[in-house]
Amino acid sequence: MEREMVCIECPRGCTLLVTKTGGRVRVSGNFCPRGEAYAAAEVTQPRRVLTSTVRGEGGMIPVRTSSAVKKEKIFQIMERVRAYRAEGAVKLGDVLIPDVDGEGTALIATADAVRLQED
Amino acid sequence: MRKQLVVIGGGPAGLAAAVAAYDAGVRDLVVLERESEAGGILKQCVHNGFGLTRFRESMTGPEYARRFLDEARARRIGILTNTFVTRLTPEKRVSYVNEKGAFCCEADAVILAMGCRERSKGALNIAGTRPAGLFSAGTAQKYVNIYGHLPGKRVVILGSGDIGLIMARRMTLEGAKVECVCEIMPYSGGLGRNIAQCLDDFGIPLLLEHTIVSVEGRERVEAVVIARVDEKRQPIAGTERRVECDTVLFSVGLIPENELTKGAGIALDGQTKGCLVDDGRETEIEGVFACGNVLHVHDLVDFVSEEAEIAGRSAAEYLLHGARAKRYLPVLAGENVSYIVPQRLDADGQTPVQLYFRVKSALRGAVISVEAGDFRKSVKRIAVAPGEMERVTVVPSQLSGAAALRVSVFREE
Ligand code: SF4
């Protein structure tokens, strides 16, 4: 199997050529080793960091997964993200959902969010 | 009021410039920000990928902004929010209004960091009705990420700028169906990695050399007609196709927001639509500097920060050591280069200067060539594209006696 892909690990965006013969993965076109690791993951188990927003008391709160999640699970995870409601004040780095993908990846806030002013 | 330094704009450029000026010794400074919070457009860019070049980690927009905001706060740099600058004069008088009233500040130096706005022309040239459901990509981003409203359920995107690509993914994640992205040019205006992770990941087609010829719908968008275009970017008869949708996003580029600059009579570059600057990012008016997207539209915030720090340090040098008489070396955009910044160099500069530029057309296998008098330098690139800014380094004092410096990009032989 031969596949061409763009490495998304950095803005350089190298075009990678990946060949998979049996269990062996060979990568060319990568400027640095991260490209090779990315390509290997792409042809076995692609992963992405998921970013989104959740509803908080004072408005939308930006969030991300603490590490890359399985690509095939992204829409499943999004359902949980969309159903979630944050309560009270939230600080950047706060864990909002401890295990969002069933594999221990957390959903964390990427900004401070204030509690809705009551007046 | 008097201030040594006034920074106009509290986005990534303004914050980094203020911090750099502070670190170079300026204490009497203020940042004027029109929104209720500093951070600029990064506040609504909730996706990751920021900081990869500068910090070697992938941050989201709010996280990147926060890093610079924390730096500014640690130095107790004053940031006036909800403050709108109404006028800048060539004498560096800055008029602004906020809820406390209207003020005028006499500044010894000013850094312009107002950022950019979305171009609207793509929306104007299309035939048909003007129903609800037409948004710029950035406005849609604000609706989704700040207000939590999804602008529509079936989407066609015109233009493949980065914000459009990012919004294709964002709206897909929120449950919308993105039918396609139409790009009138034969190449995308966005980064290759965004095409991969925002379109390819979700099977969203990128239709190059395609445009929207008309919009249908009375109250709400019901469909668009798209068509292939020829080399003159004109729709080819017979290639029209109707695509049902309720929303159209326009991502047709960004333009520096230079109303204040024009008001002060500062000359702009016809290509960048930003000021003409030297390597210290000083404009034609002594003591007025510019950086970030108000100077030229960047595709990576990492380079905005880098440029803002140059401007901040130059402003500090001007304030603390006074103006220096400079001999200038003009910098020219040569073959296949659409623009280059800075437009002139301090000919006696001893330190390396990065020249930022964009190519006119995409090439696989390219050579960047720098010519200045007898000086020659060439640098190879695997690929170049108009959507990806290029950089090359020169040391001005090593270009002895040259009348001008020219950067060209050729196909590799
Ligand atoms: S291979 Fe390395 S240099 Fe190339 S895009 Fe990937 S991370 Fe960047």
Side-chain angles (χ1 to χ4, degrees), chain A residues 7 9-10 12-14 16 30-32 34-35:
Chain A
C7 177
E9 294 292 315
C10 95
R12 184 182 272 264
C14 298
L16 310 176
N30 55 311
F31 181 76
C32 83
R34 278 156 70 202

Side-chain angles (χ1 to χ4, degrees), chain B residues 59-361:
Chain B
M59 290 184 257
T60 63
E63 289 169 316
Y64 192 93
R66 176 63 177 271
R67 194 163 285 211
F68 284 87
L69 199 51
D70 285 347
E71 296 286 328
R73 285 185 185 140
R75 290 164 180 75
R76 302 189 175 283
I77 294 171
I79 303 174
L80 293 182
T81 54
N82 289 319
T83 297
F84 197 89
V85 176
T86 52
R87 198 163 109 101
L88 169 71
T89 73
E91 299 76 34
K92 299 186 279 277
R93 229 171 286 138
V94 182
S95 307
Y96 62 89
V97 290
N98 57 27
E99 56 184 13
K100 296 212 179 78
F103 302 89
C104 182
C105 181
E106 311 261 346
D108 296 328
V110 173
I111 297 178
L112 306 172
M114 294 89 77
C116 60
R117 62 164 175 262
E118 294 182 281
R119 282 184 193 268
S120 54
K121 74 165 192 264
L124 299 176
N125 302 337
I126 298 171
T129 54
R130 283 293 173 271
L134 306 172
F135 301 91
S136 75
T139 305
Q141 188 180 47
K142 192 166 194 172
Y143 276 16
V144 176
N145 293 345
I146 305 289
Y147 304 133
H149 299 308
L150 192 62
K153 291 215 147 47
R154 283 182 84 175
V155 188
V156 171
I157 300 177
L158 178 65
S160 59
D162 286 309
I163 315 173
L165 302 177
I166 294 289
M167 284 314 292
R169 174 177 63 184
R170 189 73 190 95
M171 292 194 65
T172 305
L173 287 176
E174 290 293 342
K177 169 103 175 75
V178 178
E179 300 291 341
C180 59
V181 174
C182 297
E183 170 57 59
I184 197 163
M185 301 305 284
Y187 47 83
S188 163
L191 299 172
R193 61 191 297 270
N194 283 338
I195 294 169
Q197 62 182 344
C198 299
L199 302 187
D200 299 350
D201 266 8
F202 300 97
I204 300 167
L206 171 61
L207 307 177
L208 296 174
E209 302 191 278
H210 274 74
T211 192
I212 295 177
V213 288
S214 69
V215 175
E216 295 174 13
R218 293 186 76 81
E219 254 129 63
R220 179 80 199 193
V221 175
E222 286 164 15
V224 293
V225 176
I226 64 173
R228 183 178 278 283
V229 298
D230 59 21
E231 306 86 71
K232 295 197 185 84
R233 313 286 141 229
Q234 295 305 310
I236 303 171
T239 63
E240 296 90 351
R241 180 153 68 87
R242 189 171 179 276
V243 181
E244 278 184 28
C245 59
D246 60 16
T247 303
V248 183
L249 300 191
F250 297 91
S251 181
V252 292
L254 301 165
I255 182 163
E257 198 149 8
N258 267 309
E259 278 62 35
L260 288 172
T261 322
K262 283 186 218 153
I266 300 173
L268 299 184
D269 180 316
Q271 287 298 319
T272 59
K273 315 283 183 215
C275 299
L276 297 162
V277 291
D278 66 16
D279 43 314
R281 301 302 186 270
E282 189 168 22
T283 68
E284 290 192 327
I285 296 187
E286 214 177 81
V288 179
F289 302 80
C291 57
N293 284 345
V294 78
L295 183 56
H296 58 119
V297 175
H298 296 61
D299 21 72
L300 297 176
V301 71
D302 306 61
F303 296 148
V304 167
S305 307
E306 179 180 286
E307 181 172 83
E309 284 161 354
I310 296 172
R313 283 194 296 269
S314 310
E317 187 181 304
Y318 170 81
L319 289 169
L320 305 174
H321 305 294
R324 230 160 16 92
K326 293 180 196 166
R327 270 192 321 125
Y328 283 117
L329 176 71
V331 177
L332 307 171
E335 197 162 325
N336 197 19
V337 173
S338 61
Y339 77 71
I340 187 155
V341 173
Q343 291 87 353
R344 53 186 189 172
L345 301 177
D346 174 359
D348 302 309
Q350 307 281 335
T351 48
V353 174
Q354 298 249 27
L355 304 171
Y356 299 70
F357 63 96
R358 281 183 197 279
V359 296
K360 285 184 188 160
S361 60

Side-chain angles (χ1 to χ4, degrees), chain A residues 8 48 53 55 64 71, chain B residues 63 66 148 170 193 201:
Chain A
I8 63 167
R48 297 287 182 269
T53 52
R55 240 164 253 285
R64 66 184 294 172
K71 198 167 116 179
Chain B
E63 289 169 316
R66 176 63 177 271
R170 189 73 190 95
R193 61 191 297 270
D201 266 8

Side-chain angles (χ1 to χ4, degrees), chain A residues 39-114:
Chain A
E42 276 305 278
V43 293
T44 49
Q45 179 62 261
R47 288 177 175 268
R48 297 287 182 269
V49 168
L50 175 66
T51 62
S52 187
T53 52
V54 297
R55 240 164 253 285
E57 289 181 16
M60 303 306 287
I61 304 169
V63 293
R64 66 184 294 172
T65 53
S66 56
S67 59
V69 296
K70 286 183 180 158
K71 198 167 116 179
E72 76 228 20
K73 285 198 172 179
I74 279 181
F75 284 99
Q76 229 172 299
I77 299 170
M78 271 309 292
E79 284 192 16
R80 288 192 68 186
V81 170
R82 284 162 63 194
Y84 181 81
R85 297 286 176 273
E87 281 167 24
V90 169
K91 288 225 156 311
L92 186 150
D94 279 1
V95 171
L96 301 181
I97 305 177
D99 180 7
V100 76
D101 61 347
E103 296 180 31
T105 311
L107 188 75
I108 57 178
T110 58
D112 292 351
V114 288

